Amino acid sequence: SLSATGDALNMVILPVDFQKDIHRQAVWRLMNVYATDPMGGGQFLPDAQQHRLLTQLADWQATRHALILLAWQGEHAVGLLNAFEGFSTFAAQPLLNIHDLVVHPDARGQGVGRQLLQAAEAIARERGYCKITLEVLSGNHTAQALYQQQGYAAYVLDQAMGVAQFWQKAMSG
Protein backbone atom coordinates (compact mmCIF):
# COMPACT_ATOMS: atom_id res chain seq x y z
CA SER A 1 0.00 0.00 0.00
CA LEU A 2 1.26 3.46 -0.84
CA SER A 3 -0.30 5.14 2.16
CA ALA A 4 0.05 4.69 5.88
CA THR A 5 -1.92 6.38 8.60
CA GLY A 6 -0.60 7.21 12.05
CA ASP A 7 -3.55 6.91 14.43
CA ALA A 8 -2.06 8.94 17.26
CA LEU A 9 -1.03 11.83 15.05
CA ASN A 10 -3.65 11.59 12.31
CA MET A 11 -0.72 11.50 9.90
CA VAL A 12 -0.94 10.27 6.33
CA ILE A 13 2.04 9.32 4.16
CA LEU A 14 1.39 9.71 0.43
CA PRO A 15 3.44 9.70 -2.76
CA VAL A 16 3.85 13.21 -4.14
CA ASP A 17 1.40 14.10 -6.88
CA PHE A 18 3.42 16.56 -8.95
CA GLN A 19 0.23 17.63 -10.75
CA LYS A 20 -0.93 19.32 -7.52
CA ASP A 21 0.41 22.77 -6.65
CA ILE A 22 0.12 22.05 -2.92
CA HIS A 23 2.38 19.00 -3.31
CA ARG A 24 4.98 20.83 -5.43
CA GLN A 25 5.01 23.74 -2.97
CA ALA A 26 5.37 21.34 -0.03
CA VAL A 27 8.35 19.57 -1.63
CA TRP A 28 10.10 22.89 -2.35
CA ARG A 29 9.36 24.27 1.13
CA LEU A 30 10.59 21.14 2.91
CA MET A 31 13.72 20.91 0.74
CA ASN A 32 14.54 24.46 1.84
CA VAL A 33 13.85 23.54 5.48
CA TYR A 34 16.47 20.83 5.02
CA ALA A 35 18.91 22.98 3.03
CA THR A 36 18.86 25.80 5.61
CA ASP A 37 19.41 23.43 8.54
CA PRO A 38 23.05 23.03 9.65
CA MET A 39 22.71 19.33 8.69
CA GLY A 40 21.82 20.42 5.13
CA GLY A 41 24.49 23.05 4.62
CA GLY A 42 22.73 26.10 6.08
CA GLN A 43 21.75 27.84 2.82
CA PHE A 44 18.53 28.24 0.82
CA LEU A 45 18.35 26.47 -2.51
CA PRO A 46 18.55 28.95 -5.41
CA ASP A 47 15.08 29.98 -6.62
CA ALA A 48 16.20 29.32 -10.19
CA GLN A 49 16.58 25.64 -9.25
CA GLN A 50 12.94 25.16 -8.16
CA HIS A 51 11.42 24.33 -11.56
CA ARG A 52 14.31 22.05 -12.54
CA LEU A 53 14.21 20.17 -9.23
CA LEU A 54 10.46 19.60 -9.26
CA THR A 55 10.44 18.62 -12.94
CA GLN A 56 13.29 16.14 -12.47
CA LEU A 57 11.75 14.59 -9.34
CA ALA A 58 8.43 14.19 -11.17
CA ASP A 59 10.17 12.52 -14.14
CA TRP A 60 12.16 10.16 -11.91
CA GLN A 61 9.07 9.23 -9.92
CA ALA A 62 7.02 8.65 -13.07
CA THR A 63 9.55 6.06 -14.26
CA ARG A 64 9.60 4.37 -10.81
CA HIS A 65 13.27 5.24 -10.37
CA ALA A 66 12.36 7.55 -7.48
CA LEU A 67 10.10 7.37 -4.48
CA ILE A 68 8.99 10.80 -3.24
CA LEU A 69 6.78 10.72 -0.13
CA LEU A 70 5.14 13.49 1.88
CA ALA A 71 3.92 13.16 5.47
CA TRP A 72 0.73 15.15 6.03
CA GLN A 73 -0.86 16.23 9.29
CA GLY A 74 -4.17 17.59 8.13
CA GLU A 75 -3.42 20.12 5.39
CA HIS A 76 0.20 20.60 6.46
CA ALA A 77 3.09 18.71 4.90
CA VAL A 78 5.45 18.03 7.80
CA GLY A 79 7.89 15.55 6.30
CA LEU A 80 9.51 14.55 3.02
CA LEU A 81 11.43 11.49 1.88
CA ASN A 82 13.29 11.43 -1.46
CA ALA A 83 14.68 8.04 -2.44
CA PHE A 84 16.17 6.75 -5.67
CA GLU A 85 16.61 3.32 -7.18
CA GLY A 86 20.09 1.91 -7.41
CA PHE A 87 21.51 -1.54 -8.06
CA SER A 88 23.41 -3.98 -5.86
CA THR A 89 25.93 -5.88 -7.94
CA PHE A 90 26.56 -8.35 -5.09
CA ALA A 91 22.84 -9.19 -4.78
CA ALA A 92 22.13 -8.64 -8.50
CA GLN A 93 18.95 -6.79 -7.50
CA PRO A 94 17.70 -3.22 -7.32
CA LEU A 95 18.01 -1.27 -4.07
CA LEU A 96 16.48 1.93 -2.73
CA ASN A 97 18.72 4.78 -1.54
CA ILE A 98 17.16 7.36 0.73
CA HIS A 99 18.75 10.63 -0.31
CA ASP A 100 16.72 13.11 1.76
CA LEU A 101 14.66 12.68 4.91
CA VAL A 102 13.23 15.96 6.13
CA VAL A 103 10.99 16.65 9.12
CA HIS A 104 9.77 20.18 9.70
CA PRO A 105 11.18 21.50 13.03
CA ASP A 106 7.66 22.02 14.42
CA ALA A 107 6.90 18.31 13.90
CA ARG A 108 10.13 16.75 15.16
CA GLY A 109 9.85 14.14 17.89
CA GLN A 110 6.35 13.11 16.77
CA GLY A 111 7.23 10.01 14.74
CA VAL A 112 7.17 11.66 11.30
CA GLY A 113 10.59 10.35 10.26
CA ARG A 114 9.79 6.87 11.58
CA GLN A 115 6.54 6.72 9.59
CA LEU A 116 8.24 7.95 6.41
CA LEU A 117 10.94 5.27 6.81
CA GLN A 118 8.33 2.57 7.44
CA ALA A 119 6.31 3.62 4.39
CA ALA A 120 9.46 3.55 2.23
CA GLU A 121 10.31 0.10 3.58
CA ALA A 122 6.85 -1.25 2.75
CA ILE A 123 7.13 0.06 -0.81
CA ALA A 124 10.69 -1.27 -1.15
CA ARG A 125 9.42 -4.73 -0.17
CA GLU A 126 6.55 -4.50 -2.68
CA ARG A 127 8.99 -3.55 -5.44
CA GLY A 128 11.44 -6.31 -4.59
CA TYR A 129 14.40 -4.16 -3.56
CA CYS A 130 17.13 -6.12 -1.79
CA LYS A 131 17.97 -3.34 0.68
CA ILE A 132 17.57 0.30 1.57
CA THR A 133 20.64 2.48 1.92
CA LEU A 134 21.16 6.00 3.23
CA GLU A 135 23.91 8.31 4.37
CA VAL A 136 23.99 10.22 7.62
CA LEU A 137 26.39 12.83 8.97
CA SER A 138 28.58 11.61 11.83
CA GLY A 139 27.35 14.49 14.01
CA ASN A 140 23.65 13.90 13.37
CA HIS A 141 23.04 11.76 16.46
CA THR A 142 19.25 12.25 16.39
CA ALA A 143 18.99 10.81 12.87
CA GLN A 144 21.42 8.02 13.73
CA ALA A 145 19.27 7.00 16.70
CA LEU A 146 16.16 6.92 14.50
CA TYR A 147 17.88 4.86 11.84
CA GLN A 148 19.23 2.40 14.41
CA GLN A 149 15.75 2.03 15.94
CA GLN A 150 14.47 1.16 12.46
CA GLY A 151 17.16 -1.49 11.91
CA TYR A 152 19.76 0.46 9.94
CA ALA A 153 23.46 0.05 10.67
CA ALA A 154 26.80 1.17 9.25
CA TYR A 155 27.82 -0.85 6.20
CA VAL A 156 30.58 -3.34 6.96
CA LEU A 157 31.67 -6.24 4.76
CA ASP A 158 34.65 -7.23 6.89
CA GLN A 159 35.38 -5.83 10.38
CA ALA A 160 39.11 -5.75 9.61
CA MET A 161 38.45 -3.45 6.64
CA GLY A 162 36.21 -1.09 8.62
CA VAL A 163 33.00 0.83 7.97
CA ALA A 164 32.12 2.06 4.48
CA GLN A 165 32.37 5.83 4.01
CA PHE A 166 30.32 8.02 1.70
CA TRP A 167 32.61 10.12 -0.51
CA GLN A 168 31.91 12.48 -3.37
CA LYS A 169 33.56 14.37 -6.20
CA ALA A 170 31.71 17.33 -7.66
CA MET A 171 31.53 17.58 -11.43
CA SER A 172 31.94 21.18 -12.57
CA GLY A 173 30.14 22.35 -15.57
Side-chain angles (χ1 to χ4, degrees):
S1 169
L2 291 180
S3 67
T5 303
D7 297 332
L9 300 175
N10 205 15
M11 189 181 331
V12 177
I13 309 292
L14 295 171
V16 172
D17 181 344
F18 284 98
Q19 300 301 312
K20 295 182 179 179
D21 284 338
I22 192 170
H23 283 227
R24 288 193 311 273
Q25 291 167 2
V27 169
W28 184 248
R29 182 176 53 83
L30 287 165
M31 284 302 300
N32 270 300
V33 164
Y34 182 29
T36 57
D37 188 275
M39 298 296 171
Q43 296 182 5
F44 280 99
L45 298 172
D47 287 340
Q49 193 169 307
Q50 180 176 3
H51 177 74
R52 189 175 76 217
L53 173 65
L54 297 176
T55 300
Q56 290 292 319
L57 288 176
D59 289 349
W60 279 67
Q61 182 170 271
T63 60
R64 276 186 40 139
H65 294 297
L67 175 63
I68 317 296
L69 301 174
L70 282 169
W72 295 91
Q73 287 178 334
E75 296 180 10
H76 302 285
V78 296
L80 171 69
L81 182 142
N82 292 320
F84 301 92
E85 186 177 283
F87 189 78
S88 169
T89 53
F90 285 14
Q93 289 181 272
L95 60 86
L96 187 67
N97 176 259
I98 296 173
H99 190 70
D100 306 303
L101 179 60
V102 185
V103 177
H104 192 280
D106 295 344
R108 290 183 182 155
Q110 299 176 26
V112 176
R114 177 180 46 79
Q115 288 196 38
L116 282 164
L117 288 171
Q118 290 173 352
E121 183 176 334
I123 294 165
R125 287 185 194 285
E126 287 176 10
R127 293 185 181 178
Y129 295 127
C130 64
K131 64 181 173 180
I132 300 174
T133 61
L134 54 80
E135 58 265 7
V136 61
L137 295 174
S138 60
N140 192 344
H141 303 294
T142 302
Q144 289 176 20
L146 169 64
Y147 300 148
Q148 288 172 344
Q149 290 166 2
Q150 295 302 304
Y152 292 83
Y155 181 72
V156 177
L157 286 173
D158 179 328
Q159 288 292 341
M161 294 306 300
V163 175
Q165 297 177 9
F166 182 76
W167 289 20
Q168 72 174 10
K169 179 180 179 180
M171 300 286 110
S172 58

